[in-house]
Amino acid sequence: MEYKIEKKPAPGRDEVEVLGDTFEEGKPEGEDVGKWRQKLGSREDKLKYLQNGERYWFSEEWFGSEKRKTPA
Amino acid sequence: MAEEKAKSIDNASLKMIEKAAKDGVNTAFDRAEAMKPCPIGMVGSCCKNCSMGPCRVPLPKSLEETPEDKRKRRGVCGATAETIAARNFIRMIAGGAAAHSDHGRGVAELFLAVAKGEASGYELKDEQKLLQVALDWGIEIGDRSNNEIAVDIGEKALSEFGKQEGEIDFLRRAPLKRQELWRQQGVAPRGIDREIVEIMHRTHMGVDQDYKNLLQQGVRASLADGWGGSMIATELQDILFGTPAPVLSKVNLGVIKKDEVNIIIHGHEPLLSEMIVAVSQDPEMIELAKSSGAKGINLAGICCTANEILIRHGVPLAGNFLQQELALVTGAVDAMVVDVQCIMQSLPDIAQCYHTKIITTSPKAKIPGAVHVEFDEHNAVESARAIVKTAIEAFPKRGSNIDIPKETTDLVAGFSHETINYLLGGIFRASYRPLNDNIINGRIRGVAGVVGCNNPRVTHDDIHVTMIKELIKNDVLVVQTGCSAMAAAKAGLLTPEAAKYAGKGLAEVCETVGIPPVLHMGSCVDNSRILMAVTAMVKEGGLGDDISDLPVAGAAPEWMSEKAISIGQYVVASGIYTVFGVNWPTLGSKEVTDFLFKDMEDMYGGMWAFEPDPIRAAHLMIAHIDKKRKALGIDKARERVLYDMDMRRELDAV
Ligand code: SF4
């Protein structure tokens, strides 16, 4: 995920750099509609997503309803 | 005189049934009328497993059967009505599990060839899913290339079919409690092929003659399908062609175009059809189509091949199982390309009345009268080009007897369980939490999987659509696969606007998330996605420890194939109450039926039911969902109350 940095005027200072939007604008169109998996670029991103997003199967320490039980 | 049952609720189909009659074309609708089902075979009371028979052991029609009569109700070999019904039932499971699993094997073979660089034209499109399966199967990732990892995955997948000992590996994806239960019941499958072969052995004359023991082997083979062959097919297809994400498309015979070369892809495997999708967009092919007078090339699908290319490319659906013959009756289909499963042998006969080429492509499925262009995975692009060219050559030979119904409906499809997870939580915290929360707070009453075929013994699409509307009206979120999803799509239920048919709570959730109340998850093998979604719900927490604790239910209200029985059995054995319509194939034995409908609940927490009326069936499912909600202590809707200071003081005073 690439973060966008925006410049904004600040009281008493000319401009400051702030973190921009982390969400997508409006509705994607054409080919991109719904294709969320392409947002994950590198293999590292993908593995991180698996451990976090698909934590039901791949997290080391988080097993949801099976938290206190022996992992499969 | 009894009122004649309508053939379909779909106008486009009704128009084509009428045209077929005018054109002198005989369809499944006519054949079903002309041939009534055999009442003995229908209830599982006919055995033809040896040449001392066939033996028929039907229940006596009226009088209560005496124990003496019952003892006499046997085949020549001594097999009881129970043994015969159970044998017939699990042979259906064997047929269904074999179909799904052989599909899975075909995918695994192509997958391995792609991984080794031996199948040009294909690529490994979804690295994310590749890594996911590698993690699942303990395959080293490190700095290895995707192809190196894929070779290990392909070899491992193929070995799952012939495994003799231990357990199939995807079983470990299930909730821990469920895995333990399968082990206790002795039904954890050892290998996919082994369990199917064992059914054929045990049901041979004079082998297993304990109906409970037979039915337990049926469970084992069905699990080898759902958590084995089907799951392998789904996962490897995702790696090869991409994991489905929401796509917009259209459904019904109106997607066939008068001025373009129409190619209908029909069957179940996406291996060749993916290539036809690519080749039909090739400028050279489009030019060729134009040179023969067409404006372009139009692809559309029937049955699950259609679902596969819909959920990945948005290719429109021409229709479901009972529309395969009707598509030809339009007179505007230039070629129908078929692979395996659910293909009617009548297609080449009907094609003769028009100009259509029926092209078989699998060495496993040839039909006399069809053109055979064998799909060679090592030369897939060439196979696809040959097929598209055949269609283009047929275009100028069209007759004047063309009538394409106008009907099309918009739909959104492609809700893989990964996509549902993403839609509910976003990339940073994909989650099933919002779904579980909305079930707990009662906005969503539960989740129902409505899947399966069409069957001309009932009004086409009517049973699906009536059941689904009743479920969503009662705040039950519906997930779908197969021909059932196409029926819902034609009725406009697969768009976010369908929230208008949903109860207030479900509509609210759909509007917030921007999803339809009916989610199309893919093809028949993609019922494995439903298994993963319910497992995610369990693992997310708050709705019990096992799939059988969840307020969920399943149904195949217009089922007809052996695959549906296999699916139903693995869904039941995974802990889900499942209602089938049309007819029930063990009614010839009360004991066998009781075992499936009652005893299985104690053993697996899920059981079968039979109810042909869609409203009554929906209410059986809702009653089961409510029973589970009560057991979880979430049977009363808990709206959040915002406390003001007075209310707080009152609380403190207690
Ligand atoms: S196996 Fe038994 S019941 Fe079946 S056909 Fe042979 S004799 Fe009849």
Side-chain angles (χ1 to χ4, degrees):
Chain A
M1 170 88 200
E2 277 183 34
Y3 291 105
K4 278 186 277 178
I5 304 293
E6 287 174 7
K7 290 194 172 168
K8 293 214 164 152
R13 285 176 289 172
D14 287 348
E15 263 185 343
V16 288
E17 285 192 347
V18 294
L19 183 63
D21 298 341
T22 54
F23 54 86
E24 286 170 354
E25 280 175 37
K27 288 185 179 174
E29 276 176 15
E31 274 284 289
D32 285 343
V33 174
K35 290 196 175 161
W36 61 277
R37 281 167 90 83
Q38 291 164 358
K39 293 178 192 168
L40 298 158
S42 67
R43 183 180 275 190
E44 205 191 350
D45 278 354
K46 289 171 185 169
L47 282 168
K48 230 186 326 179
Y49 180 83
L50 284 173
Q51 257 159 20
N52 182 22
E54 297 289 339
R55 62 195 168 283
Y56 309 119
W57 291 278
F58 302 117
S59 160
E60 298 274 314
E61 78 284 355
W62 203 91
F63 294 95
S65 70
E66 296 168 346
K67 212 171 185 171
R68 289 174 303 276
K69 295 172 199 159
T70 336
Chain B
M1 209 179 99
E3 203 179 304
E4 203 190 330
K5 132 184 117 52
K7 291 197 166 82
S8 177
I9 55 163
D10 169 44
N11 269 334
S13 299
L14 288 172
K15 278 181 212 161
M16 287 304 104
I17 291 170
E18 217 174 280
K19 179 170 187 285
K22 274 192 218 136
D23 294 356
V25 166
N26 184 269
T27 68
F29 294 96
D30 306 312
R31 296 190 293 273
E33 223 165 66
M35 191 193 303
K36 296 296 162 215
C38 161
I40 300 170
M42 187 169 75
V43 295
S45 293
C46 174
C47 177
K48 54 176 182 60
N49 292 8
C50 86
S51 76
M52 293 189 283
C55 299
R56 284 159 299 156
V57 290
L59 268 173
K61 270 203 182 116
S62 52
L63 295 172
E64 213 27 48
E65 189 177 34
T66 64
E68 185 54 29
D69 291 339
K70 186 161 168 44
R71 264 196 299 278
K72 283 192 210 144
R73 200 150 62 86
R74 290 168 184 267
V76 177
C77 67
T80 62
E82 282 60 62
T83 300
I84 291 173
R87 284 201 301 220
N88 286 333
F89 188 71
I90 71 169
R91 278 203 170 192
M92 293 179 88
I93 293 176
H100 287 142
S101 299
D102 212 32
H103 167 170
R105 186 197 326 269
V107 179
E109 281 170 344
L110 172 68
F111 184 89
L112 190 56
V114 176
K116 289 180 174 168
E118 294 166 0
S120 65
Y122 293 101
E123 52 179 326
L124 302 167
K125 277 209 182 118
D126 194 335
E127 185 188 31
Q128 167 98 9
K129 189 51 103 50
L130 177 93
L131 300 173
Q132 192 171 334
V133 176
L135 286 176
D136 261 322
W137 283 348
I139 288 167
E140 191 201 330
I141 295 174
D143 292 329
R144 300 170 82 207
S145 72
N146 283 352
N147 283 67
E148 282 170 322
I149 298 171
V151 168
D152 284 359
I153 289 179
E155 281 168 356
K156 165 86 184 142
L158 281 173
S159 75
E160 289 289 284
F161 292 91
K163 205 148 110 183
Q164 303 301 326
E165 291 298 330
E167 289 173 5
I168 55 167
D169 249 5
F170 273 149
L171 224 54
R172 281 186 285 129
R173 285 177 156 189
L176 298 176
K177 213 169 155 186
R178 184 69 15 192
Q179 295 178 37
E180 270 321 301
L181 192 150
W182 289 330
R183 285 175 198 127
Q184 278 164 18
Q185 289 289 343
V187 295
R190 294 156 292 188
I192 298 164
D193 294 349
R194 177 166 188 172
E195 307 309 348
I196 297 166
V197 168
E198 195 167 308
I199 285 188
M200 298 314 284
H201 177 196
R202 288 208 208 180
T203 56
H204 184 278
M205 182 265 147
V207 186
D208 198 354
Q209 285 152 109
D210 172 344
Y211 73 89
K212 293 182 184 172
N213 206 40
L214 283 161
L215 294 172
Q216 284 285 76
Q217 180 58 21
V219 168
R220 205 180 204 179
S222 74
L223 290 172
D225 173 355
W227 296 88
S230 283
M231 202 169 268
I232 288 174
T234 297
E235 298 301 71
L236 301 195
Q237 282 169 188
D238 279 356
I239 301 174
L240 282 172
F241 310 125
T243 299
V247 283
L248 260 175
S249 192
K250 287 189 185 301
V251 63
N252 217 342
L253 296 169
V255 303
I256 296 171
K257 294 183 180 162
K258 195 164 186 177
D259 47 8
E260 295 194 18
V261 174
N262 290 304
I263 304 175
I264 303 278
I265 300 166
H266 171 27
H268 282 76
E269 297 180 348
L271 311 183
L272 172 62
S273 49
E274 279 280 334
M275 217 37 95
I276 295 177
V277 173
V279 166
S280 65
Q281 289 159 4
D282 179 346
E284 195 191 315
M285 284 292 148
I286 295 172
E287 260 324 297
L288 194 63
K290 285 184 178 163
S291 68
S292 54
K295 282 202 174 136
I297 302 171
N298 179 41
L299 281 191
I302 299 241
C303 280
C304 280
T305 300
N307 281 324
E308 298 279 7
I309 51 175
L310 162 77
I311 57 178
R312 298 198 176 87
H313 303 286
V315 171
L317 304 169
N320 48 11
F321 171 70
L322 278 179
Q323 289 177 288
Q324 59 184 289
E325 295 174 309
L326 305 181
L328 303 188
V329 174
T330 62
V333 173
D334 301 296
M336 183 177 272
V337 189
V338 302
D339 49 36
V340 290
Q341 300 168 25
C342 300
I343 299 148
M344 292 189 187
Q345 190 172 349
S346 53
L347 294 178
D349 284 344
I350 298 177
Q352 275 188 355
C353 299
Y354 306 95
H355 72 298
T356 314
K357 293 276 178 216
I358 305 294
I359 305 172
T360 53
T361 57
S362 166
K364 294 174 200 163
K366 294 188 178 179
I367 306 177
V371 181
H372 188 72
V373 179
E374 194 146 314
F375 166 52
D376 170 10
E377 64 208 30
H378 300 286
N379 222 340
V381 180
E382 281 320 304
S383 306
R385 287 174 82 88
I387 287 166
V388 174
K389 273 187 188 160
T390 308
I392 294 172
E393 280 158 18
F395 178 81
K397 297 180 189 145
R398 275 189 197 175
S400 54
N401 187 10
I402 294 176
D403 183 5
I404 306 170
K406 298 270 173 299
E407 284 81 358
T408 64
T409 315
D410 288 339
L411 68 100
V412 183
F415 293 93
S416 54
H417 71 88
E418 290 91 347
T419 287
I420 297 174
N421 191 31
Y422 162 78
L423 287 175
L424 293 175
I427 218 111
F428 292 110
R429 194 63 176 170
S431 178
Y432 272 74
R433 190 75 243 158
L435 175 62
N436 284 18
D437 279 346
N438 278 299
I439 291 175
I440 293 166
N441 69 28
R443 277 197 193 91
I444 297 178
R445 195 165 182 167
V447 181
V450 182
V451 306
C453 335
N454 290 143
N455 189 320
R457 301 287 175 204
V458 295
T459 302
H460 171 229
D461 287 350
D462 181 38
I463 317 294
H464 289 300
V465 172
T466 310
M467 171 184 276
I468 295 164
K469 280 189 173 167
E470 190 64 19
L471 289 168
I472 61 175
K473 189 174 94 189
N474 284 283
D475 292 315
V476 176
L477 176 71
V478 173
V479 292
Q480 291 215 272
T481 59
C483 286
S484 182
M486 299 180 181
K490 281 179 267 175
L493 298 174
L494 300 192
T495 56
E497 294 74 36
K500 66 173 182 260
Y501 299 111
K504 194 169 155 266
L506 176 61
E508 228 173 81
V509 176
C510 290
E511 276 155 21
T512 312
V513 187
I515 53 169
V518 183
L519 303 178
H520 186 344
M521 295 183 79
S523 67
C524 296
V525 292
D526 291 341
N527 283 310
S528 62
R529 299 191 201 276
I530 299 181
L531 296 178
M532 291 295 279
V534 289
T535 302
M537 287 167 70
V538 170
K539 288 177 181 262
E540 173 54 48
L543 292 174
D545 284 345
D546 196 354
I547 298 171
S548 55
D549 295 332
L550 298 173
V552 300
E558 295 184 25
W559 78 281
M560 60 85 195
S561 83
E562 292 171 324
K563 292 181 291 174
I565 292 288
S566 181
I567 293 167
Q569 186 59 82
Y570 72 65
V571 169
V572 165
S574 300
I576 300 174
Y577 174 67
T578 302
V579 189
F580 269 38
V582 190
N583 56 39
W584 183 253
T586 69
L587 290 178
S589 163
K590 190 179 170 307
E591 285 84 346
V592 170
T593 307
D594 279 352
F595 188 84
L596 298 169
F597 288 20
K598 293 181 188 147
D599 300 0
M600 278 205 174
E601 182 169 25
D602 296 332
M603 298 164 74
Y604 296 104
M607 66 292 200
W608 291 91
F610 165 56
E611 174 51 68
D613 181 280
I615 299 281
R616 278 209 292 267
H619 282 280
L620 287 175
M621 294 161 82
I622 293 166
H624 180 82
I625 284 170
D626 286 349
K627 182 169 98 178
K628 294 295 171 185
R629 293 187 65 87
K630 192 157 188 230
L632 288 165
I634 54 168
D635 46 332
K636 289 172 196 73
R638 289 189 221 140
E639 284 299 328
R640 267 176 38 181
V641 180
L642 292 174
Y643 283 79
D644 62 19
M645 277 320 283
D646 283 347
M647 289 162 89
R648 273 178 210 284
R649 270 185 223 114
E650 233 171 79
L651 264 187
D652 289 342
V654 177

